[in-house]
Amino acid sequence: MSAAEDWKAAAQTFAKAEKSHDVRVRRALNNGEFEGQTVAGARIAAQANSDQLSAAESEAKALGVILSDGAARLKALVKLLDETEEQIRRDDLHISADGKVWSTESTEGSASRRTANAAEYRQSQVDNGEIESQAALSARVAKWQRRIDDVLQRFHNADIEICLALERAQKVSSNEEPDKFNAKASANVETAKLERGEELIMKLAGGTALDTAEREELKAITNDAARQNRLSRELLERVGPNAFLKLATYIDIGRKRIGHNNADYADIEKNIARMLAKASREDPFGGKWREDFRRYGMKEYSWHDEKGWKSYDVKGYQVLATIMSKAKGYDGDFLKDLTDDMLSMEKGREKSPWLLHIKLGDESNVAHDPLDAMLGIMSKHPSVATSYLTEEKLAALNDRDWNVTKVPADTVVRTNAWKEIEASDSRSGFGAALIAASTGRDPDSSQFPSGWPKHARENVRAFERIVDYYSDFARSENRDVPPQLRPFLARAMADYPHDVRELVLNPNDKAFTTEQNGLRSPLTKNVSYLMKDAVKDPEAFLSLHASQLALTSSELENFSAKDYRQPSVPLLGTARDAGQMLGIIDGMRGEAINQKTQDAEAYNDLIRLRTYHGVGALLTIIPHAGDSFQRILDYGLNGLVGGLNDEIASQGKKERAEHFSAGRRALHDLIAEKAAAVGVAEKETRNSSNVAREIDARARSGYRDGLGEYKFLPMK
């Protein structure tokens, strides 16, 4: 017999005992045959015994139901675990007893087929479609690891919640004797979970640290609640927005201070952010909490430096944006309304309401600029960013006061003077939202559609709107696009390489729409103008350059060995167009380098390039850039980075211009690589061969023309 059945049987036993007690004892005491003080006392004792038997029945029933339901819940999870494990094995992966997923590559194949270089052999198998790339394999392992981790987390949640419900079913109120049975025992695990979650959150929000067991309980409760809209809403409604913000501030301390179980608090932080995301989808929660946040958004809360000891005051909206950034999946109207509320709080003020006094090197992880942080959150919801960033909104965001940080005016001489500057990550959220609106994808996601993207109509119109606004803004105001936005605008353009090339290489054609995404030809002058401005930033330049190389790589895959041995007209046209486009981009960058007049500006570019996070980062933002392309991209762009470093380090303009041969070299090597992939021998693609000379001549001619033609592109 199971424990659940034991408790159900115990409940029946208690019920029978109560009935027997009532018949044999209470009825005898109440039949009127006995009276007096002793009998009155006996009646009271008999009633108490009857109440305890009834309470024992209630408690036993509750325990039986909790155990029965808990067993069913765990049984379902065991089935899910078995099914997931079977799916992992069917996907040719392995899983250990402790839940670790791993892969083993096949060692089949003749040793004679292998080259001395194992990496080259493996790459040849990838290129031939015999095996998947390492990146694809790692992604597959990671996907299943996340799946199995989630199942195991659900086991952990269930275990804690069942134990919690059992404990609360046996617990009597504090004003009663602890050894009594619980007459109000509840078998509702969900209610027990919500009540305990509220207790722990209010304790933590009040500034009292949780012990190990309490942290485990709160992690499990919030993790489970964050899986359902309704549960998230009910728990947050119990807590309220003010306690929610206070909770976030105490979690911030717990995450930072040494010895404060940082990982536990980080998990709780993510869970409550996910709870808010889920709850925001429930009516009328989203609208009500948005109104409540208007009341608490400008209230001051304590925040702490990176070590968790020095505190300073921040606004509620800054706390809210910080905690919300830990999750995604928010209701679109909730996001847009909160962002508008923050924008409205700035109107009519002489200075930004988000100003923080920060000593250099002492910045915290709080969202200095909550509006920018909200735009960053919006970028993880591309459809929301697309509908939000209208022309009017672009103007309002561009014109707002971005100076949200106050730092010492002089770091050498101690004075009381402060200066207002933009935050170190200023406009990063805004830039990410611009990319999301233009592409329809989260810019931080590594998930790309197969092949080159065919963008939705609303994203194409958003891209046109953004390009038009910033090019017109820069021209009409006779000033540059905000420098912080250049890498983001370049990444947006890098997602439209076909269209950008078609527009730029056909500047004088009559009205037309581009073949890939239907961009309208009047955009030509604005795309050209924005490209010329964007390449002033080295990272933006690399993004545009890489996207055109990637496009050329995919185009070259359409040609056979015959096309390379007897260069076909389409192949020669591709070589020329690619060379011309790269020449235009390089020419624009060359002018930007030559126009730099301040050593500090050039030095800043040099530092950025030296600390640039690598060519691999470009592959995560350029669609269609596969493994076979990466080797060329590595070579070509590493050459470009090196060349740019030399440009900046050189003193003479002439010397700087000479380094732009890297773009043409990358194109030449890309053509040779693609030819080799279809069986054209290396000697046939050397510079000395007639074949190579003809193809390379077209690429050189296009590149040379591009270097000169960029100046004559319509930009006004």
Side-chain angles (χ1 to χ4, degrees):
M1 183 178 289
S2 69
E5 292 171 334
D6 284 344
W7 280 110
K8 290 177 181 178
Q12 293 175 352
T13 300
F14 286 129
K16 290 177 182 178
E18 180 189 4
K19 184 176 181 180
S20 176
H21 179 269
D22 286 347
V23 171
R24 296 186 178 187
V25 179
R26 291 185 63 203
R27 186 177 297 176
L29 289 172
N30 293 321
N31 63 8
E33 294 182 11
F34 304 99
E35 295 295 339
Q37 188 173 356
T38 301
V39 174
R43 287 172 181 163
I44 294 173
Q47 180 64 51
N49 290 336
S50 181
D51 290 343
Q52 274 297 286
L53 288 169
S54 176
E57 179 191 1
S58 297
E59 184 175 312
K61 276 184 179 179
L63 294 174
V65 172
I66 292 169
L67 288 171
S68 178
D69 291 349
R73 182 178 176 184
L74 292 173
K75 184 178 180 181
L77 287 173
V78 168
K79 181 181 178 183
L80 178 61
L81 180 63
D82 290 341
E83 290 173 350
T84 305
E85 183 178 353
E86 178 60 28
Q87 289 172 334
I88 290 171
R89 298 192 191 284
R90 283 204 303 266
D91 203 18
D92 293 327
L93 298 174
H94 310 278
I95 181 169
S96 64
D98 60 351
K100 299 300 180 185
V101 180
W102 83 95
S103 67
T104 54
E105 294 184 7
S106 172
T107 57
E108 295 179 3
S110 170
S112 62
R113 290 175 54 220
R114 302 191 181 194
T115 66
N117 189 322
E120 286 185 7
Y121 174 70
R122 190 187 190 288
Q123 185 59 53
S124 69
Q125 289 183 300
V126 172
D127 293 343
N128 294 331
E130 297 174 28
I131 61 173
E132 65 185 324
S133 68
Q134 187 61 51
L137 179 61
S138 298
R140 195 155 54 89
V141 170
K143 179 191 76 172
W144 285 114
Q145 188 64 65
R146 288 192 299 271
R147 189 83 59 85
I148 204 72
D149 287 346
D150 184 68
V151 175
L152 295 176
Q153 180 64 54
R154 291 168 68 178
F155 264 108
H156 182 65
N157 294 350
D159 181 48
I160 286 182
E161 289 167 10
I162 292 168
C163 290
L164 175 63
L166 290 171
E167 180 183 331
R168 294 179 83 82
Q170 300 172 77
K171 182 180 180 181
V172 296
S173 58
S174 57
N175 61 343
E176 296 182 36
E177 296 178 20
D179 57 350
K180 288 187 175 182
F181 291 106
N182 186 3
K184 299 178 181 179
S186 171
N188 192 321
V189 176
E190 192 171 282
T191 299
K193 173 170 57 181
L194 291 172
E195 290 175 350
R196 182 57 172 165
E198 180 185 3
E199 290 173 8
L200 294 174
I201 287 175
M202 297 307 289
K203 179 178 180 179
L204 193 54
T208 303
L210 304 181
D211 61 31
T212 302
E214 290 173 329
R215 288 194 306 275
E216 283 299 316
E217 284 183 1
L218 187 55
K219 279 200 302 182
I221 291 169
T222 53
N223 182 279
D224 200 56
R227 297 170 184 272
Q228 301 180 48
N229 294 5
R230 180 183 57 80
L231 273 181
S232 293
R233 172 181 57 78
E234 290 184 7
L235 183 51
L236 289 178
E237 283 178 340
R238 287 169 174 262
V239 173
N242 187 39
F244 177 85
L245 294 175
K246 287 183 177 179
L247 169 68
T249 64
Y250 195 88
I251 287 176
D252 172 66
I253 301 174
R255 280 197 316 103
K256 293 172 179 174
R257 289 184 182 173
I258 297 174
H260 276 61
N261 308 99
N262 313 59
D264 286 348
Y265 286 113
D267 287 341
I268 295 170
E269 181 181 47
K270 292 176 185 175
N271 290 343
I272 64 171
R274 289 171 54 217
M275 284 169 53
L276 183 59
K278 290 284 189 181
S280 70
R281 304 176 190 176
E282 291 270 296
D283 287 330
F285 177 91
K288 183 179 183 304
W289 268 50
R290 176 234 175 162
E291 289 301 320
D292 288 338
F293 282 134
R294 286 181 67 85
R295 184 163 71 252
Y296 295 109
M298 301 307 290
K299 180 181 175 181
E300 291 187 340
Y301 295 82
S302 291
W303 205 256
H304 293 76
D305 64 5
E306 287 300 331
K307 294 183 179 179
W309 297 108
K310 297 178 184 177
S311 66
Y312 48 92
D313 291 332
V314 297
K315 298 294 195 299
Y317 275 132
Q318 291 171 302
V319 176
L320 177 63
T322 303
I323 200 74
M324 286 182 66
S325 67
K326 308 300 180 184
K328 58 183 178 179
Y330 296 95
D331 175 74
D333 289 336
F334 183 69
L335 275 181
K336 290 189 285 189
D337 289 343
L338 278 176
T339 308
D340 281 341
D341 289 342
M342 294 180 192
L343 192 58
S344 69
M345 294 295 175
E346 299 178 355
K347 293 181 178 179
R349 296 176 184 266
E350 184 179 344
K351 296 181 179 180
S352 171
W354 322 120
L355 275 173
L356 291 178
H357 288 66
I358 301 294
K359 293 181 180 179
L360 294 180
D362 193 30
E363 294 193 25
S364 176
N365 66 320
V366 72
H368 288 202
D369 189 339
L371 181 58
D372 193 40
M374 290 301 296
L375 292 169
I377 297 166
M378 204 178 286
S379 73
K380 300 182 183 301
H381 308 73
S383 62
V384 180
T386 303
S387 62
Y388 185 75
L389 293 176
T390 62
E391 185 175 348
E392 294 75 19
K393 201 69 70 177
L394 288 171
L397 292 170
N398 198 61
D399 293 341
R400 69 183 285 263
D401 185 357
W402 288 86
N403 292 327
V404 298
T405 303
K406 295 185 75 171
V407 298
D410 193 325
T411 58
V412 179
V413 180
R414 286 192 173 185
T415 67
N416 292 324
W418 294 76
K419 62 180 179 180
E420 297 161 10
I421 62 172
E422 297 190 21
S424 59
D425 59 349
S426 182
R427 304 179 202 246
S428 59
F430 187 19
L434 293 175
I435 294 175
S438 299
T439 66
R441 298 194 307 273
D442 176 357
D444 289 335
S445 172
S446 59
Q447 300 300 315
F448 286 104
S450 59
W452 289 99
K454 184 82 172 177
H455 294 300
R457 180 179 177 82
E458 59 269 22
N459 299 121
V460 173
R461 298 289 87 90
F463 176 69
E464 290 179 330
R465 189 163 62 242
I466 291 165
V467 170
D468 284 342
Y469 174 78
Y470 275 104
S471 57
D472 289 344
F473 161 79
R475 276 194 294 260
S476 62
E477 299 291 337
N478 195 27
R479 58 183 179 181
D480 292 338
V481 170
Q484 300 92 333
L485 290 182
R486 286 171 181 154
F488 299 101
L489 292 170
R491 279 187 57 181
M493 288 188 282
D495 219 63
Y496 288 80
H498 300 78
D499 310 270
V500 167
R501 181 185 292 183
E502 190 175 349
L503 288 170
V504 171
L505 296 188
N506 299 281
N508 300 314
D509 283 9
K510 294 180 180 180
F512 68 94
T513 57
T514 58
E515 183 177 346
Q516 180 74 8
N517 286 296
L519 294 183
R520 294 169 287 202
S521 57
L523 200 67
T524 295
K525 64 177 183 178
N526 289 345
V527 165
S528 300
Y529 190 91
L530 204 57
M531 282 177 57
K532 185 179 178 183
D533 185 275
V535 297
K536 294 175 182 177
D537 180 279
E539 186 176 334
F541 164 68
L542 291 176
S543 294
L544 288 170
H545 209 288
S547 70
Q548 289 301 320
L549 272 179
L551 172 58
T552 303
S553 175
S554 65
E555 289 174 334
L556 292 174
E557 291 174 1
N558 298 322
F559 297 105
S560 65
K562 181 179 179 181
D563 290 306
Y564 286 98
R565 290 194 174 101
Q566 298 177 356
S568 63
V569 172
L571 174 57
L572 294 174
T574 296
R576 174 172 173 76
D577 287 349
Q580 188 176 1
M581 192 65 197
L582 291 175
I584 287 172
I585 296 173
D586 284 0
M588 290 177 172
R589 176 62 186 171
E591 180 177 312
I593 291 293
N594 290 340
Q595 287 178 346
K596 289 182 181 293
T597 57
Q598 297 181 16
D599 290 342
E601 185 178 1
Y603 180 74
N604 182 55
D605 272 5
L606 178 60
I607 295 301
R608 287 191 59 200
L609 283 167
R610 285 178 177 169
T611 59
Y612 184 66
H613 39 273
V615 172
L618 287 173
L619 290 173
T620 67
I621 65 172
I622 306 296
H624 209 80
D627 284 0
S628 62
F629 171 59
Q630 180 168 357
R631 295 194 303 282
I632 293 300
L633 195 60
D634 282 341
Y635 176 85
L637 292 188
N638 278 329
L640 282 172
V641 171
L644 286 169
N645 282 335
D646 291 339
E647 290 164 19
I648 296 168
S650 299
Q651 297 300 313
K653 294 181 180 179
K654 182 178 179 181
E655 290 176 283
R656 294 175 184 174
E658 290 174 354
H659 293 289
F660 281 108
S661 60
R664 184 185 54 75
R665 287 200 309 271
L667 178 58
H668 170 81
D669 290 333
L670 180 59
I671 293 172
E673 173 78 11
K674 291 300 179 181
V678 293
V680 179
E682 182 181 354
K683 64 181 181 180
E684 298 179 74
T685 57
R686 289 176 183 166
N687 287 333
S688 58
S689 73
N690 292 331
V691 173
R693 279 203 299 270
E694 188 170 359
I695 299 174
D696 197 46
R698 292 299 180 97
R700 283 173 178 268
S701 173
Y703 187 83
R704 185 169 53 250
D705 289 347
L707 283 174
E709 288 173 359
Y710 82 91
K711 296 179 181 179
F712 304 104
L713 291 174
M715 298 186 190
K716 299 298 183 183

